[in-house]
Amino acid sequence: MLNLRRKKVKEIEAKSIALWCKVRGGKDVIEPNKAQIAQSTKEIISEKLFEVADYAASNSLDLKNIDLESDILGKHIQKILNYSVGKSLGEEYQCKLKDKAVERAKHPSRSALNEATKGISLHINYWHFSVDSEKSDVLDIGLMLPKIEAVEELCLYLPIKLKENEILDITSLLKHNEISTAIFNENLSSQQYGTKDHYKLLKGDKYFCSLRSFLKNDINNGEEFGFRSAAGDDGVIISIKSEAIEKALPDKNGDGKAYFRLRVILDSKDKKDIFIRKDLPKDKYFVSGFEVTEYIDFRINETRLLPQSVQEEIEHLQGRDIIPVNRIDFLLATTPGADIKISGTSFHKSRYLEPNPWKKYLENGPEDIRKTIETGMVVYHWKSVAKLDKPIEDFLAFVKLRIRLSQSKKIAFYFLWVIVLGGVGSLLASLVYSFFGGES
């Protein structure tokens, strides 16, 4: 017997977005002098001390009470301190440290990349509103960027066929206190800073970050924003240049950070299929209700899924196949009626999404999106944080959604169609009877 309920998943090639830096000097290799090696040595020692302090803090250890002579952590600190004040260490340790310092001094662009990794954070929100392929989803991408002298621009590859005017700059939305507070989960307020579309966010009376809608201001001259097609692929590459960061920062010599937020409306089946695969039953047209299974597969910098041209550009401009960020936050918002299964070691938590302030955040989107927000959504949060000696190489968030759909409209249509057919049949019977029945 033929099984009408057998399901078939449409074969769609998996895709990955990508983020990388254009580092000044590219993959430069120099022959370092003594001063450069000494500077590299200091950097390594400082990083190790930071690593020790971070380890102590994360394990609730009090550095003041650690015995430098007996504790394992204390001995490690003692080695570092001995070297930093010129005391003798074992020959093996000295050789390893010198080799690392020389290697770092030979590749100054790697140090720049390490600095970028410490300061940049990436925020991605995927708003999945409906299993209906004709309805839109929304992809929001936020970047927190410090001023880094050695980084010329930050490049973002999206595996989506887009036009330049389909990249929306929504940075100015964060000037509304309730929206910035919701996005950063901090109690923030905003103040205008200088020119139009230029604001700074404050936490209490302390500076938090700067906002500037660079895309609206300079989209035509290309000094701050770049847009181009990826060679040999339908995707596009968006770049935020160092000029955009410098103009956004209120203090050119300070340690401020500039925040930018972009939006792409996924308003077609082809765009949504980049991240979502759908599994439908074959008998959906004959039943009053059925289950739809969706697989949301979101990846960042998965090398094997990137176009060859993007892989080559990452290798050429950055020199290392890593994501140049200290932290990634990925949030998936979807309807609460779905049965969900989550995978991925970076999953953090889930929560119910309050309608306010997100209605205002998405007020310029399609009307059906705003209605979905009002009925309530659930947010699933993945988080990945780089460690000192272990940068983030790639990122994956995978979700399986199972949603039950009813087809009351379709059943009503079938019912009306049966009535119409019955009426037509009765009329035909009457005509036949009147034509043939009167002759007898």
Side-chain angles (χ1 to χ4, degrees):
M1 180 183 291
L2 179 63
N3 182 8
L4 292 176
R5 290 189 176 273
R6 186 178 59 188
K7 301 180 180 180
K8 181 180 179 181
V9 178
K10 181 181 177 182
E11 292 296 331
I12 301 174
E13 183 181 357
K15 300 282 187 179
S16 171
I17 75 171
L19 184 72
W20 67 96
C21 284
K22 181 179 181 182
V23 182
R24 299 185 194 277
K27 296 192 299 179
D28 52 349
V29 179
I30 64 173
E31 192 60 40
N33 55 35
K34 290 183 178 180
Q36 291 168 327
I37 294 174
Q39 179 60 33
S40 295
T41 303
K42 290 179 181 179
E43 290 175 1
I44 293 172
I45 291 173
S46 296
E47 289 172 2
K48 289 296 181 184
L49 286 171
F50 176 82
E51 181 183 359
V52 168
D54 185 59
Y55 174 84
S58 62
N59 290 275
S60 302
L61 299 176
D62 186 357
L63 290 174
K64 294 179 181 178
N65 298 323
I66 290 177
D67 186 347
L68 295 180
E69 299 298 330
S70 60
D71 292 350
I72 296 176
L73 183 60
K75 289 181 179 179
H76 184 60
I77 296 173
Q78 186 67 57
K79 281 186 177 182
I80 296 171
L81 294 177
N82 284 346
Y83 187 87
S84 64
V85 297
K87 293 183 179 180
S88 61
L89 288 174
E91 185 176 343
E92 181 182 356
Y93 186 83
Q94 288 190 43
C95 290
K96 285 183 179 180
L97 184 58
K98 183 178 180 181
D99 289 344
K100 287 184 178 180
V102 171
E103 184 64 21
R104 174 175 294 201
K106 283 183 178 180
H107 301 276
S109 63
R110 291 185 182 178
S111 296
L113 184 59
N114 290 338
E115 287 300 311
T117 300
K118 292 177 185 177
I120 299 174
S121 57
L122 173 65
H123 309 146
I124 298 177
N125 288 45
Y126 189 97
W127 300 85
H128 181 44
F129 295 100
S130 173
V131 296
D132 187 345
S133 299
E134 302 303 318
K135 292 185 178 180
S136 301
D137 281 353
V138 175
L139 176 65
D140 293 338
I141 299 171
L143 284 161
M144 184 75 82
L145 306 173
K147 183 180 179 182
I148 306 171
E149 295 292 344
V151 174
E152 293 185 12
E153 63 181 298
L154 199 71
C155 300
L156 175 70
Y157 163 74
L158 296 177
I160 311 170
K161 191 173 183 179
L162 295 169
K163 297 178 181 177
E164 187 170 348
N165 60 9
E166 292 180 295
I167 307 295
L168 308 177
D169 187 340
I170 61 169
T171 308
S172 61
L173 283 176
L174 276 73
K175 69 184 179 184
H176 302 291
N177 296 347
E178 64 270 30
I179 292 178
S180 59
T181 296
I183 287 176
F184 293 111
N185 200 27
E186 300 275 5
N187 191 14
L188 302 176
S189 61
S190 67
Q191 288 183 4
Q192 190 163 359
Y193 180 82
T195 60
K196 183 182 178 182
D197 291 327
H198 195 183
Y199 295 84
K200 58 182 177 180
L201 295 181
L202 303 173
K203 183 179 179 181
D205 58 352
K206 294 183 179 179
Y207 171 84
F208 184 78
C209 73
S210 299
L211 308 172
R212 183 172 177 272
S213 298
F214 70 102
L215 192 153
K216 292 180 181 176
N217 294 331
D218 297 275
I219 191 169
N220 295 321
N221 61 30
E223 290 180 0
E224 301 183 31
F225 172 79
F227 180 91
R228 55 193 166 94
S229 298
D233 184 75
D234 288 336
V236 298
I237 297 173
I238 302 164
S239 56
I240 299 175
K241 302 182 181 181
S242 57
E243 289 84 352
I245 304 172
E246 291 170 1
K247 289 181 180 180
L249 293 176
D251 183 359
K252 306 300 180 184
N253 300 315
D255 58 353
K257 293 185 178 183
Y259 188 77
F260 305 101
R261 199 165 181 93
L262 304 176
R263 171 173 292 170
V264 176
I265 306 293
L266 306 176
D267 55 3
S268 68
K269 183 177 182 299
D270 290 341
K271 291 176 182 176
K272 291 175 70 172
D273 281 350
I274 298 296
F275 306 108
I276 298 178
R277 303 182 188 189
K278 189 178 296 183
D279 187 359
L280 297 171
K282 288 187 174 182
D283 60 346
K284 65 176 183 176
Y285 298 108
F286 307 103
V287 294
S288 60
F290 61 91
E291 285 187 346
V292 176
T293 303
E294 290 187 321
Y295 304 90
I296 299 177
D297 189 6
F298 199 93
R299 308 172 189 233
I300 306 174
N301 281 48
E302 182 137 356
T303 305
R304 65 185 180 84
L305 301 179
L306 296 174
Q308 184 65 30
S309 60
V310 172
Q311 295 181 41
E312 292 173 355
E313 184 166 331
I314 293 174
E315 175 65 21
H316 175 69
L317 297 181
Q318 186 171 273
R320 293 179 66 192
D321 187 17
I322 65 169
I323 307 175
V325 298
N326 178 62
R327 172 170 169 165
I328 296 174
D329 288 276
F330 174 73
L331 287 91
L332 169 68
T334 188
T335 53
D339 178 19
I340 187 167
K341 292 185 178 180
I342 297 169
S343 67
T345 57
S346 57
F347 180 73
H348 179 49
K349 63 181 179 179
S350 60
R351 63 183 175 86
Y352 184 79
L353 186 73
E354 63 281 8
N356 291 317
W358 300 106
K359 285 192 297 183
K360 188 170 186 176
Y361 177 71
L362 290 156
E363 65 182 357
N364 294 325
E367 184 178 353
D368 58 309
I369 287 179
R370 298 195 299 274
K371 288 182 178 178
T372 305
I373 289 286
E374 290 175 358
T375 58
M377 301 187 76
V378 177
V379 173
Y380 302 91
H381 183 186
W382 286 257
K383 180 175 70 173
S384 184
V385 181
K387 296 180 180 178
L388 189 64
D389 294 324
K390 190 177 180 182
I392 303 173
E393 295 182 354
D394 53 35
F395 178 87
L396 169 65
F398 182 82
V399 177
K400 180 181 178 182
L401 291 172
R402 185 172 293 160
I403 304 168
R404 179 76 181 176
L405 296 182
S406 62
Q407 301 190 103
S408 54
K409 290 182 179 180
K410 184 172 289 186
I411 296 302
F413 172 77
Y414 287 157
F415 181 73
L416 291 174
W417 186 242
V418 169
I419 293 175
V420 170
L421 288 177
V424 171
S426 179
L427 178 61
L428 288 174
S430 297
L431 290 174
V432 171
Y433 179 79
S434 63
F435 184 76
F436 293 102
E439 297 181 356
S440 60

